[in-house]
Amino acid sequence: MDNYKDDTFLARWLDQSLSAAELQQLERSPEYPTLLRMKQNFEKLQSPRTADDAILAHVIAHEKIAPVKVIPFYRKTWIAAAAMIVVLLGIGFYLLQPTRHAAGNGEMYAFSLPDQSQVLLNAGSQASFKSWDWSSNREVSLQGEAYFKVAKGQKFTVETNLGSVTVLGTQFNVKARDNRFEVTCYEGKVSVASATTQQIILPGQRIVINESDRILATTKAIAPEWTRYELLFENASFTAVLAELERQYDVSIDSALQTQQLFSGSIPGNDLDAALKIIAVTYHLDLKQSGNTISLNPLP
Amino acid sequence: MEEPEKQGICTEIVFTQFFKKNFYSLRNYLYFKFGSDNLADDIAQDAFIKLWQHCAEVRFPKSFLYRVANNASLNELAYQKVELKYRDSKPNDTTDYASPEYLMEETEFRDKFDKAIASLTQAQRTALLLNRIEGKKYREIAEMLGISQKAVEKRIHGALLSMREQIDHFR
């Protein structure tokens, strides 16, 4: 029935895209006269037309429907790509950021490190560490004072601006204030390094390093006194004592007293009145307090 | 397929141009499909109204138009096979010199030819007439119908084959 080469043959004939050989073959076939006549007849056909101006007018008379505005945030691929990079950089930057913890004046703040080592920050202190790199690099940088209970493991380092403390797994306190670098060991072995010295201290020992000298002292405490709201001073300067009180009680203390007399002793860390009285009596000062502002001036 | 600027289609001038260029293609496509003037006019008009109303959202007006029309066509299940009226009304230019026998023969052929077209399947007729009457290229037809160019060629081949058989059969 169908003796054409393929099932698009006649379509290609209409389209005049048959090869010369194919065309010759078709022209010799018995069907060709009818096909040709059909083709000629198509040419007499005319596209039906209707009055389009009326329809156009009718169409345009319709109100446009305001689109629901979906404004694509990123209209172009490259903007999307750029945004993606920014986001990824942001996430990366965020993840690489050291984790930071801080205790404001008048408060303490406890946190855990990724290996469950514990840190208790004393008032007015802050610590930061890189959590993403913790397993290979146990390093905390500290400003102020903190008590560490370190889980056993690799080398653990506390960096301060006055020196560093390296341990293997122990409990110790680090205090780096002004020019005074003070490390107390409660358990294990602690290696303390500053710009001028290096020393290993054992449980119950405390090392105090300041500009001029280095004092090795002992303690019977099993944890820093400040964690029990007791402020212990040993040969501390008057200004250091006032600064510690300011941090612990979040107050501001003025004093006109100039003295080289060092202070040793214990002051309550949770009873401001008692604490101030001790200082006032020791240094013979007149105590005046209004709100958070305290003045301690020499008695007339 | 050249497309007007996205916002452009909303302006009356651009829309008018687009309408003039595409109305008959669409309308006659529908006419070839259904064989009904009214239905073709209605569906074509509705498609253009939809385009005008949604001009701001439409990115490819022509595709949109045919999609809307095709969807509307699906709903028109009640179409019946109607003989197409596509003859032009101008006088046959062979009249002057042709013999009466020739004219009779010619009229007879034309009748058979018309019947053959009417008996084509909807798919064959649409493709064939879009090509022969609207002068659409196979590629364009494929775009309108949403099928491949090869499929269009098959339909047209099939249409010619079927017509030729009918015409010669009733000779």
Side-chain angles (χ1 to χ4, degrees):
Chain A
M1 172 177 189
D2 186 351
N3 46 18
Y4 297 102
K5 220 169 110 185
D6 55 58
D7 56 2
T8 59
F9 191 84
L10 293 177
R12 283 185 286 128
W13 167 63
L14 271 189
D15 203 25
Q16 286 165 345
S17 57
L18 287 183
S19 69
E22 286 174 326
L23 189 59
Q24 262 189 0
Q25 190 203 340
L26 179 65
E27 280 169 359
R28 280 200 298 271
S29 74
E31 296 91 6
Y32 186 69
T34 310
L35 286 171
L36 190 62
R37 214 166 156 189
M38 279 162 52
K39 190 178 179 182
Q40 288 159 351
N41 244 272
F42 278 123
E43 269 144 38
K44 293 181 194 148
L45 301 184
Q46 199 193 38
S47 160
R49 304 260 143 176
T50 42
D52 63 349
D53 285 340
I55 293 177
L56 176 61
H58 176 70
V59 167
I60 288 182
H62 282 75
E63 283 286 314
K64 282 180 205 159
I65 295 170
V68 182
K69 282 222 167 162
V70 180
I71 300 170
F73 193 60
Y74 301 116
R75 214 173 266 279
K76 298 238 190 286
T77 326
W78 67 266
I79 294 179
M84 186 73 91
I85 289 168
V86 169
V87 168
L88 287 178
L89 282 178
I91 291 172
F93 190 67
Y94 175 77
L95 289 177
L96 295 181
Q97 274 294 71
T99 309
R100 205 174 290 279
H101 294 286
N105 283 347
E107 63 185 36
M108 292 181 192
Y109 183 88
F111 65 93
S112 292
L113 293 166
D115 60 4
Q116 297 309 309
S117 296
Q118 284 167 19
V119 181
L120 180 61
L121 286 175
N122 199 352
S125 305
Q126 56 172 294
S128 62
F129 61 93
K130 292 167 181 164
S131 56
W132 52 274
D133 192 26
W134 186 255
S135 55
S136 63
N137 183 14
R138 298 206 295 173
E139 188 178 311
V140 176
S141 79
L142 171 72
Q143 285 175 282
E145 180 169 14
Y147 172 48
F148 294 86
K149 282 186 183 175
V150 177
K152 293 248 181 321
Q154 292 298 305
K155 191 176 81 165
F156 183 103
T157 307
V158 179
E159 286 288 349
T160 73
N161 56 340
L162 296 175
S164 67
V165 181
T166 306
V167 299
L168 285 176
T170 183
Q171 295 180 24
F172 62 100
N173 187 72
V174 179
K175 183 175 186 177
R177 300 269 190 211
D178 303 321
N179 292 316
R180 189 181 163 108
F181 185 39
E182 193 181 309
V183 179
T184 312
C185 175
Y186 298 95
E187 194 185 296
K189 244 187 214 178
V190 175
S191 166
V192 181
S194 73
T196 53
T197 186
Q198 176 141 18
Q199 172 94 38
I200 290 178
I201 58 170
L202 300 168
Q205 290 188 322
R206 167 178 300 143
I207 188 164
V208 180
I209 300 166
N210 53 31
E211 287 159 313
S212 51
D213 58 358
R214 191 170 70 131
I215 304 159
L216 205 58
T218 56
T219 176
K220 287 194 172 68
I222 51 160
E225 291 75 13
W226 61 265
T227 61
R228 297 188 310 269
Y229 299 102
E230 192 184 322
L231 309 178
L232 190 73
F233 297 96
E234 264 172 80
N235 301 318
S237 70
F238 178 63
T239 49
V241 173
L242 291 193
E244 189 62 52
L245 288 178
E246 284 182 328
R247 279 192 295 272
Q248 290 294 331
Y249 293 103
D250 194 15
V251 293
S252 131
I253 304 175
D254 294 325
S255 179
L257 179 69
Q258 301 283 332
T259 177
Q260 295 304 314
Q261 203 187 336
L262 298 177
F263 182 86
S264 292
S266 174
I267 298 177
N270 53 0
D271 185 346
L272 180 59
D273 289 342
L276 290 172
K277 261 179 205 142
I278 292 170
I279 298 299
V281 169
T282 308
Y283 286 93
H284 306 290
L285 298 169
D286 178 37
L287 168 64
K288 282 206 179 72
Q289 181 176 2
S290 75
N292 282 338
T293 309
I294 293 147
S295 51
L296 285 166
N297 288 310
L299 288 165
Chain B
M1 185 152 71
E2 84 266 25
E3 300 292 354
E5 283 290 309
K6 198 188 162 208
Q7 284 81 11
I9 194 76
C10 278
T11 63
E12 222 169 292
I13 291 175
V14 177
F15 187 84
T16 300
Q17 277 173 356
F18 180 80
F19 179 90
K20 297 268 186 199
K21 208 166 143 199
N22 292 285
F23 179 74
Y24 284 117
S25 298
L26 177 66
R27 189 257 173 216
N28 288 336
Y29 156 61
L30 294 165
Y31 174 66
F32 300 147
K33 196 167 176 182
F34 298 120
S36 158
D37 274 320
N38 290 339
L39 205 53
D41 281 346
D42 286 354
I43 296 176
Q45 180 178 302
D46 285 352
F48 272 98
I49 288 172
K50 270 218 175 89
L51 175 63
W52 176 246
Q53 287 175 328
H54 296 277
C55 61
E57 298 152 81
V58 174
R59 296 185 68 169
F60 302 103
K62 211 158 153 185
S63 311
F64 177 85
L65 212 54
Y66 279 89
R67 201 165 58 242
V68 169
N70 283 330
N71 287 346
S73 304
L74 292 179
N75 303 331
E76 295 294 342
L77 296 172
Y79 72 91
Q80 61 274 64
K81 212 170 204 173
V82 184
E83 275 202 35
L84 299 164
K85 303 163 288 178
Y86 43 74
R87 288 282 168 202
D88 60 21
S89 47
K90 47 180 188 188
N92 197 327
D93 51 10
T94 54
T95 317
D96 295 344
Y97 53 85
S99 69
E101 289 84 2
Y102 175 83
L103 281 180
M104 263 189 57
E105 218 282 318
E106 188 66 8
T107 312
E108 197 188 330
F109 184 87
R110 220 178 59 188
D111 285 349
K112 284 197 266 190
F113 180 84
D114 288 0
K115 279 201 186 94
I117 289 181
S119 68
L120 290 175
T121 67
Q122 193 189 38
Q124 286 174 335
R125 186 176 62 225
T126 309
L128 180 66
L129 296 186
L130 278 175
N131 175 250
R132 289 292 99 191
I133 299 181
E134 286 302 303
K136 296 286 172 200
K137 298 198 174 65
Y138 298 159
R139 186 180 45 76
E140 294 173 300
I141 298 169
E143 242 167 47
M144 287 176 176
L145 301 183
I147 59 177
S148 71
Q149 183 175 335
K150 182 97 177 165
V152 172
E153 292 179 19
K154 280 185 190 175
R155 286 181 188 186
I156 287 175
H157 173 86
L160 290 179
L161 207 62
S162 145
M163 282 180 71
R164 207 280 309 161
E165 275 165 12
Q166 274 215 23
I167 290 168
D168 279 349
H169 183 71
F170 293 110
R171 187 169 281 259

